[in-house]
Amino acid sequence: MQLVSQELQNNKAYDPVLFLRKEEQIEKYNGQGFETRLGNLEDSVSTLAKLMTYIDAVIFTAGSGGSTGADKTLLIDLDGAVKAMEAAAQNGIKRFILLSAFGAENRESWESIVPYYVAKHYADRALINSNLDYTIVKPNILTDDNGIGKIAIESFEDINIDRITRADVAKIIVTALDTPETIGQSFNVTQGNTEIKEALKQLK
Amino acid sequence: MQLVSQELQNNKAYDPVLFLRKEEQIEKYNGQGFETRLGNLEDSVSTLAKLMTYIDAVIFTAGSGGSTGADKTLLIDLDGAVKAMEAAAQNGIKRFILLSAFGAENRESWESIVPYYVAKHYADRALINSNLDYTIVKPNILTDDNGIGKIAIESFEDINIDRITRADVAKIIVTALDTPETIGQSFNVTQGNTEIKEALKQLK
């Protein structure tokens, strides 16, 4: 997710390394000053582990996207995510932040694109059952509007908003990195009334 | 799996109840003297649980089949199987036998139909992580030949046979029901040299 990379780059605390699938992405992001590594989530765990050296935390925001079929949903959104978890564990990386989907834990809420939710559901389960220090961020419908910096975590506030901006999701993910209260947490989130850092601290 | 039903019907110890998706299947199997229940693995866990009353053990051999897409693989082979596990657990049913695929535990062995193996892999994981008394049967390439009644369990014998008859797989599943050594076991199996009952007892 491009916005996450930019958030990380704007924060002096981090030296992001981008994991990318295409040569042209490598060129583009290198040109923007990012360190990059070329790989494919369809590769083996051991290959992924070799690409994850000198990394302290993994942020997994990859997705097969709406234009591919359910076969890629299985290979990338589910098995790709879990292979990344296993590769992280092999390398002794503890921290793992996973971008998931609103309501992925609750089958009754899956009204459309059900196969996608199935993949997210089982990737989330695998992370929760792992020994990693996980955070699972499950945003509602994503928009391209400007971020407002205020969110609602579903279990604390019920404000009947079904949207959140991609910019705010990127901020949530990067803020979670230095908010230990988010470790071991999986949460549904929308736009709301609470500052991101404050909302994340309430998770503990 | 039709052959499993016949094996059960031929064995006086069991009163099989078939879970079927289509009205015409219901008529056919009722005509053969089977008790049947009409349901769909895309239904909710609570609906499935209601269809699982007065049942002592679940044998899950359903599959979305080769003619449907990977979306059904996700919905049936993965989530359908796991919903059946959850429905069994809700009803206090402990015994659950799952038909899986040879090598489903080992990504390096998945040479073709990889999305199918991904679904099997995560269904197997869910069962292993459940509290059910599970057996996971992972046969190699299935044939329609006559059963020979002799098998090889991969961890005990390496006989370089990559096939097994559907009839023998049905016998393995039904034999597992009264072979307590199979509880908590997941095994790859091919045609071989050991009587089925004997081979299953070695699992403990």
Side-chain angles (χ1 to χ4, degrees):
Chain A
M1 200 187 200
Q2 200 170 343
L3 293 165
V4 174
S5 310
Q6 286 164 5
E7 279 293 326
L8 288 166
Q9 200 177 35
N10 293 339
N11 188 321
K12 283 182 188 154
Y14 305 115
D15 296 309
V17 179
L18 308 191
F19 180 91
L20 301 165
R21 186 166 56 92
K22 294 178 185 164
E23 284 284 3
E24 60 257 38
Q25 293 172 311
I26 296 282
E27 282 173 35
K28 174 184 161 189
Y29 283 100
N30 283 348
Q32 294 175 16
F34 284 102
E35 185 181 339
T36 57
R37 293 185 194 164
L38 184 68
N40 190 319
L41 288 165
E42 295 187 47
D43 286 340
S44 70
V45 172
S46 60
T47 300
L48 295 178
K50 281 176 199 145
L51 292 165
M52 252 186 226
T53 48
Y54 303 105
I55 296 288
D56 299 310
V58 174
I59 296 174
F60 190 98
T61 62
S64 58
S67 61
T68 58
D71 54 339
K72 291 292 180 191
T73 305
L74 274 158
L75 295 176
I76 304 302
D77 300 82
L78 174 50
D79 205 38
V82 177
K83 286 189 291 187
M85 296 168 203
E86 294 177 11
Q90 275 190 19
N91 283 9
I93 301 166
K94 289 295 285 177
R95 191 75 173 109
F96 199 104
I97 301 182
L98 178 62
L99 180 63
S100 180
F102 197 88
E105 78 291 349
N106 174 21
R107 289 191 188 95
E108 313 295 316
S109 73
W110 304 347
E111 287 171 7
S112 60
I113 51 166
V114 177
Y116 172 78
Y117 280 101
V118 173
K120 288 297 189 187
H121 179 81
Y122 288 95
D124 293 358
R125 273 198 195 199
L127 186 52
I128 290 166
N129 288 327
S130 76
N131 290 316
L132 297 167
D133 288 341
Y134 71 83
T135 300
I136 303 173
V137 180
K138 295 181 286 186
N140 213 322
I141 299 166
L142 297 168
T143 75
D144 289 323
D145 297 339
N146 290 329
I148 59 165
K150 292 186 171 184
I151 62 174
I153 288 171
E154 196 196 24
S155 41
F156 302 130
E157 277 187 84
D158 183 7
I159 56 167
N160 285 320
I161 292 177
D162 66 356
R163 271 144 221 273
I164 184 166
T165 68
R166 288 186 166 82
D168 283 333
V169 173
K171 275 208 170 63
I172 291 168
I173 289 170
V174 175
T175 305
L177 270 179
D178 72 344
T179 309
E181 290 86 350
T182 62
I183 292 176
Q185 302 289 342
S186 174
F187 56 91
N188 290 309
V189 63
T190 64
Q191 188 173 309
N193 301 317
T194 309
E195 297 283 347
I196 288 172
K197 181 82 180 179
E198 201 48 49
L200 295 183
K201 281 181 165 180
Q202 290 177 36
L203 284 165
K204 193 69 178 195
Chain B
M1 201 188 203
Q2 200 171 342
L3 294 165
V4 174
S5 310
Q6 286 164 4
E7 279 293 326
L8 289 165
Q9 200 178 33
N10 293 339
N11 188 321
K12 284 184 188 152
Y14 304 115
D15 296 309
V17 179
L18 308 191
F19 179 91
L20 301 165
R21 186 165 57 89
K22 294 179 184 162
E23 283 284 4
E24 60 257 37
Q25 294 172 310
I26 297 281
E27 282 173 34
K28 172 183 162 188
Y29 284 100
N30 283 347
Q32 295 175 14
F34 284 102
E35 185 181 341
T36 57
R37 294 187 192 163
L38 184 68
N40 190 319
L41 287 165
E42 295 187 48
D43 286 341
S44 69
V45 172
S46 60
T47 300
L48 296 178
K50 281 175 200 146
L51 292 165
M52 251 186 226
T53 48
Y54 304 104
I55 296 288
D56 300 310
V58 175
I59 295 174
F60 189 98
T61 61
S64 58
S67 62
T68 59
D71 54 339
K72 291 291 180 193
T73 305
L74 274 157
L75 295 176
I76 304 302
D77 300 83
L78 174 50
D79 205 37
V82 177
K83 285 189 291 186
M85 296 168 203
E86 295 177 10
Q90 276 189 18
N91 282 9
I93 301 165
K94 289 294 287 178
R95 191 75 171 107
F96 198 104
I97 301 182
L98 178 62
L99 180 62
S100 181
F102 197 89
E105 78 292 348
N106 174 22
R107 289 190 188 96
E108 313 295 315
S109 73
W110 305 347
E111 285 172 9
S112 60
I113 51 168
V114 177
Y116 171 78
Y117 280 101
V118 173
K120 288 297 189 187
H121 179 81
Y122 289 95
D124 293 358
R125 273 199 196 200
L127 186 54
I128 290 167
N129 288 326
S130 76
N131 290 317
L132 297 166
D133 288 343
Y134 70 83
T135 301
I136 303 174
V137 181
K138 295 181 286 187
N140 214 324
I141 300 165
L142 297 168
T143 74
D144 289 322
D145 296 339
N146 290 330
I148 59 165
K150 292 188 174 184
I151 62 173
I153 288 172
E154 196 198 23
S155 41
F156 302 130
E157 277 187 85
D158 183 6
I159 57 167
N160 285 320
I161 292 176
D162 66 357
R163 262 133 234 275
I164 184 166
T165 68
R166 287 186 167 82
D168 282 333
V169 172
K171 275 208 170 67
I172 291 168
I173 289 170
V174 175
T175 305
L177 271 179
D178 73 344
T179 308
E181 290 87 348
T182 63
I183 292 177
Q185 302 289 342
S186 173
F187 55 90
N188 291 309
V189 63
T190 64
Q191 188 174 310
N193 301 317
T194 310
E195 297 283 348
I196 288 173
K197 181 81 178 178
E198 201 48 50
L200 296 183
K201 281 183 166 179
Q202 290 178 36
L203 283 165
K204 192 70 177 190

